[in-house]
């Protein structure tokens, strides 16, 4: 047992064995905010209250009650779910250690920071303090009624509250509050990119890592959030246009009624066959002197780009789209792609160009990926590539170009290490890759950062684990993932002119222009049809 005193009281954690050897200290289930229940539902979080005596920190706090989209099943949890976990080698180091704060993914509808997926052993072994966090999900974290009582982005403000708690308390765990690196994957990566521009987050961290997600990814920020709230209420038997009636209705519902209920508000959303979350991040309205997390449209945000003096790693995996097809019922998806050209276009074009232009884009995209062939179960590689490009790759590359054009120091990567035994998602998804090889799916890099209970720690696996964790923790320690060439490569910052990136595989190779042909195709499409969303034009 080990005890630490934080601003709210005394925590008692425990000493655990590291799978790589040695030991580390674990403090789980630490409150990062007051329980967001009752009248606090849908509101910004409040600081946690003090407690008397010694609080046990040996077990995780409850996860947020959620519908886990990767297995299409309910994961029981609680509305009182704002907890974080701290892992460190020692609470009394000779000098304060760099801090890394992980923000989990899950499309803002599912996930947690718990060690069943994000076991800390690999990163703590590299002499950093690791923190993982929870934040409110789905409607509880994202309801926006455009009123002061429900302005939106409660889940993002939960993340800010966790960062504030870390800034205030992490020195008690041996961490350096002035050297905090935030990192996240998918919705977590998109969250990191938003913290880089949000006024609420300024000064709470020093460096950042975005894995397979950015704020300009078309699934991140939703349109018509109030209309979505009305549609959701109608699905529950409440039909009203009065937002205050809606608020009281949502506050009266049990938490079990507020998950696993995606509703469509457009024909496209109703017919594609693809899972789309109903609620997500919004551009907030300002109310009086109240603080907003995000109040500018994405194009305007990226024109100004990120806060100065922040070093960033950003990147994607080689076969991002395979996972998306693995989540859907393919028969209706294939049918829709063959009868509706609109199926081929990105979500942001659905909302921002007229039907005639949508059909033009659909024809060009279909021609690019399929020529004169129909989509079938035998040739799904085109859909997998298109899904990965429009949901992750194109937007992340555009984000990097926008930042590099403002002289921000950005290190870009493409993760191509193929090892089914160390995949984040199941081997079922990987055998459905439709591209002639299993593929490196969305999320697969996570198992090289976090230890997993079911994975064999074979020597060849651990060599790759060491490379990836060294790159990530080097950024946290030095602001440069390769301060020397001990890993066999020098990772150069990304520039608009050469688009340098590190190909992360069994060997590390510096290359230029990731996904060059496909990126250029999509940049031409955006230049012609939605130039304001192509952030470097």
């Amino acid at each position: 047992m080990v005890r630490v005193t934080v601003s709210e009281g005394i925590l008692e954690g425990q000493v655990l064995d590291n799978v790589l050897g040695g030991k580390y200290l674990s403090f789980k289930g630490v409150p990062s905010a007051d329980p967001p229940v009752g009248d606090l539902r849908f509101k910004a979080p409040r600081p946690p209250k003090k407690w008397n005596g010694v609080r046990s920190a040996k077990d995780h706090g409850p996860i947020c009650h959620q519908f886990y989209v990767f297995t299409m099943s309910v994961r029981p949890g609680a509305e009182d779910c704002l907890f974080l976990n701290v892992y460190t080698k020692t609470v009394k180091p000779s000098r304060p250690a760099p801090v890394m704060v992980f923000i989990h993914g899950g499309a803002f509808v599912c996930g947690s920071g718990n060690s069943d997926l994000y076991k800390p052993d690999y990163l703590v072994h590299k002499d950093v303090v690791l923190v993982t966090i929870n934040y409110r999900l789905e409607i509880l974290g994202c309801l926006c009624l455009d009123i002061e009582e429900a302005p939106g982005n409660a889940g993002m403000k939960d993340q800010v509250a966790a960062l504030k708690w870390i800034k205030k308390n992490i020195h008690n765990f041996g961490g350096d509050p002035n050297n905090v690196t935030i990192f996240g994957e998918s919705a977590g990566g998109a969250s990191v990119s938003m913290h880089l521009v949000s006024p609420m987050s300024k000064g709470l961290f020093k460096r950042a890592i975005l894995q397979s997600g950015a704020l300009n990814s078309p699934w991140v920020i939703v349109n018509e959030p109030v209309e979505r709230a009305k549609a959701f209420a109608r699905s529950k038997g409440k039909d009203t246009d009065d937002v205050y009636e809606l608020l009281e209705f949502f506050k009266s519902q049990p938490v079990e009624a507020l998950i696993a209920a995606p509703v469509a508000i457009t024909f496209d959303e109703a017919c594609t066959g693809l899972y789309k979350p109903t609620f997500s991040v919004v551009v907030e309205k300002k109310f009086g002197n109240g603080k907003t997390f995000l109040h500018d449209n994405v194009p305007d945000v990226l024109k100004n780009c990120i806060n100065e003096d922040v070093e960033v790693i950003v990147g994607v995996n080689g076969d991002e789209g395979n996972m998306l097809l693995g989540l859907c019922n393919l028969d209706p998806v294939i049918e829709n792609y063959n009868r509706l050209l609109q199926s081929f276009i990105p979500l942001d074009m659905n909302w921002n160009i007229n039907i005639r232009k949508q059909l033009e884009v659909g024809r060009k995209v279909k021609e690019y990926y399929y020529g004169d062939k129909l989509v079938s179960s035998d040739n799904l590689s085109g859909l997998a590539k298109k899904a990965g490009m429009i949901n992750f790759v194109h937007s992340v590359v555009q984000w990097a170009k926008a930042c590099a054009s403002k002289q921000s120091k950005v290190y870009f990567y493409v993760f191509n290490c193929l090892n089914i035994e160390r995949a984040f998602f199941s081997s079922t998804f990987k055998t459905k890759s439709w591209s002639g090889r299993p593929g490196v799916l969305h999320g697969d890099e996570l198992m090289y950062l976090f230890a997993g209970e079911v994975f064999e720690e074979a020597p060849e696996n651990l060599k790759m684990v060491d490379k990836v964790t060294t790159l990530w923790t080097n950024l946290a320690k030095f602001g440069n993932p390769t301060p020397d060439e001990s890993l066999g490569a020098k990772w150069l910052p990304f520039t608009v002119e050469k688009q340098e990136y590190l190909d992360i595989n069994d060997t590390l190779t510096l290359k230029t222009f990731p996904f060059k042909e496909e990126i250029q195709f999509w940049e031409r499409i955006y230049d012609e049809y939605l130039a304001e969303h192509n952030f470097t034009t």
Side-chain angles (χ1 to χ4, degrees):
M1 301 302 175
V2 59
R3 291 183 177 181
V4 162
T5 300
V6 295
S7 53
E8 294 78 34
I10 301 172
L11 293 167
E12 184 170 82
Q14 58 189 146
V15 182
L16 299 178
D17 292 323
N18 193 312
V19 298
L20 298 178
K23 298 181 182 295
Y24 65 92
L25 312 180
S26 167
F27 300 86
K28 298 175 181 174
V30 181
S32 58
D34 210 19
V37 298
D39 193 50
L40 296 181
R41 183 184 273 188
F42 311 122
K43 290 185 177 180
R46 294 179 180 174
K49 291 184 172 66
K50 296 180 183 292
W51 59 79
N52 295 319
V54 178
R55 180 187 177 98
S56 175
K58 301 175 200 136
D59 299 307
H60 291 297
I63 65 171
C64 301
H65 193 74
Q66 62 191 252
F67 184 71
Y68 195 64
V69 298
F70 304 110
T71 58
M72 293 295 171
S73 62
V74 173
R75 281 192 168 182
E79 190 170 356
D80 178 8
C81 61
L82 299 185
F83 300 95
L84 54 77
N85 314 291
V86 185
Y87 309 100
T88 181
K89 274 191 175 180
T90 175
V91 296
K92 294 182 179 180
S94 58
R95 57 184 300 177
V99 181
M100 298 188 73
V101 182
F102 182 71
I103 304 173
H104 70 80
F108 299 105
V109 301
C110 63
S112 78
N114 288 3
S115 59
D116 55 344
L117 286 179
Y118 306 115
K119 196 174 179 183
D121 302 44
Y122 296 163
L123 289 167
V124 174
H125 185 70
K126 293 290 185 179
D127 299 311
V128 299
V129 176
L130 177 67
V131 186
T132 64
I133 68 174
N134 291 351
Y135 53 94
R136 277 174 284 180
L137 303 166
E138 207 162 353
I139 189 172
L140 292 171
C142 302
L143 177 70
C144 173
L145 296 175
D146 281 344
I147 56 177
E148 192 168 5
E149 294 81 358
N153 297 335
M156 300 305 301
K157 294 165 188 174
D158 294 340
Q159 296 180 18
V160 173
L163 292 174
K164 288 181 177 179
W165 189 94
I166 292 163
K167 183 81 170 178
K168 184 177 183 180
N169 289 287
I170 203 64
H171 68 280
N172 297 305
F173 301 88
D176 183 351
N178 297 314
N179 186 9
V180 174
T181 297
I182 59 174
F183 69 122
E185 184 269 341
S186 195
S191 296
V192 170
S193 73
M194 288 183 277
H195 289 299
L196 282 162
V197 299
S198 173
M200 291 184 73
S201 311
K202 192 173 178 64
L204 296 178
F205 61 93
K206 186 174 183 179
R207 299 176 177 120
I209 302 173
L210 291 68
Q211 301 167 214
S212 303
L215 67 97
N216 55 313
S217 298
W219 47 270
V220 172
I221 296 177
V222 296
N223 293 282
E224 299 292 340
V226 178
E227 195 62 38
R228 293 179 186 280
K230 293 177 184 177
F232 184 84
R234 283 195 298 272
S235 75
K236 298 293 182 180
K238 179 69 173 180
D239 192 355
T240 179
D241 289 329
D242 187 315
V243 291
Y244 291 97
E245 281 188 31
L246 283 174
L247 177 63
E248 293 307 311
F249 173 76
F250 286 132
K251 287 170 67 174
S252 72
Q253 296 299 297
V255 66
E256 294 81 7
L258 298 177
I259 66 165
V263 294
I265 64 169
T266 69
F267 181 80
D268 171 71
E269 290 180 3
C271 294
T272 60
L274 298 173
Y275 177 86
K276 286 190 176 72
T278 302
F279 300 97
S280 189
V281 180
V282 298
V283 176
E284 293 176 61
K285 288 185 176 179
K286 285 188 175 183
F287 297 99
N289 295 323
K291 292 184 178 180
T292 59
F293 179 79
L294 188 70
H295 60 262
D296 285 330
N297 291 315
V298 170
D300 294 328
V301 167
L302 282 190
K303 283 176 184 175
N304 297 319
C305 212
I306 64 175
N307 298 329
E308 295 178 357
D309 301 323
V310 178
E311 299 95 354
V312 181
I313 287 176
V314 58
V316 294
N317 293 354
D319 303 275
E320 293 277 0
N322 293 356
M323 180 273 293
L324 296 177
L325 292 195
L327 287 175
C328 63
N329 182 350
L330 285 173
D331 289 338
V333 169
I334 292 171
E335 179 183 353
N336 283 330
Y337 271 94
N338 285 326
R339 69 187 181 92
L340 298 171
L341 285 171
Q342 286 171 284
S343 300
F344 283 93
I345 71 172
L347 187 61
D348 48 4
M349 289 193 175
N350 267 154
W351 282 96
N352 290 289
I353 62 177
N354 64 41
I355 295 295
R356 189 181 300 277
K357 289 184 178 180
Q358 288 183 33
L359 295 177
E360 289 178 9
V361 173
R363 290 188 193 98
K364 291 179 179 180
V365 177
K366 181 181 183 299
E367 170 66 24
Y368 181 81
Y369 286 102
Y370 280 95
D372 59 359
K373 296 178 181 178
L374 291 174
V375 180
S376 73
S377 58
D378 296 324
N379 64 1
L380 287 171
S381 62
L383 284 195
K385 289 180 180 178
K386 191 243 8 166
M389 185 59 56
I390 67 173
N391 285 289
F392 303 108
V393 179
H394 173 259
S395 53
V396 171
V397 171
Q398 293 303 305
W399 187 92
K401 289 177 71 174
C403 292
S405 69
K406 300 292 186 181
Q407 304 302 312
S408 298
K409 188 171 284 189
V410 176
Y411 297 92
F412 199 95
Y413 72 87
V414 177
F415 192 85
N416 276 313
C417 187
L418 179 61
N419 185 329
I420 293 177
E421 286 71 33
R422 296 207 63 78
F424 181 73
F425 289 107
S426 71
S427 59
T428 301
F429 283 178
K430 301 183 80 63
T431 57
K432 287 182 178 179
S433 66
W434 313 288
S435 60
R437 67 185 189 118
V440 183
L441 274 67
H442 185 69
D444 277 359
E445 83 285 5
L446 290 170
M447 288 299 101
Y448 297 85
L449 293 167
F450 298 97
E453 301 286 358
V454 298
F455 299 103
E456 179 184 355
E457 308 303 340
E460 58 271 23
N461 290 340
L462 292 181
K463 287 181 182 178
M464 198 65 208
V465 165
D466 183 67
K467 287 181 183 179
V468 178
T469 55
T470 297
L471 291 169
W472 263 233
T473 57
N474 274 352
L475 184 85
K477 295 173 182 177
F478 310 114
N480 184 338
T482 54
D484 53 43
E485 296 190 25
S486 59
L487 293 176
K490 187 70 175 176
W491 192 349
L492 298 179
F494 181 98
T495 64
V496 175
E497 295 75 23
K498 293 185 178 180
Q499 298 182 38
E500 297 91 338
Y501 73 97
L502 191 69
D503 182 88
I504 300 178
N505 209 322
D506 294 331
T507 58
L508 304 179
T509 308
L510 190 69
K511 298 182 178 181
T512 57
F513 296 100
F515 305 92
K516 183 177 181 179
E517 181 186 317
E518 264 189 288
I519 289 291
Q520 288 178 344
F521 168 78
W522 282 103
E523 286 180 343
R524 290 193 298 270
I525 291 289
Y526 274 88
D527 281 342
E528 184 173 356
Y529 293 95
L530 201 60
E532 64 270 26
H533 282 230
N534 207 15
F535 303 109
T536 57
T537 56

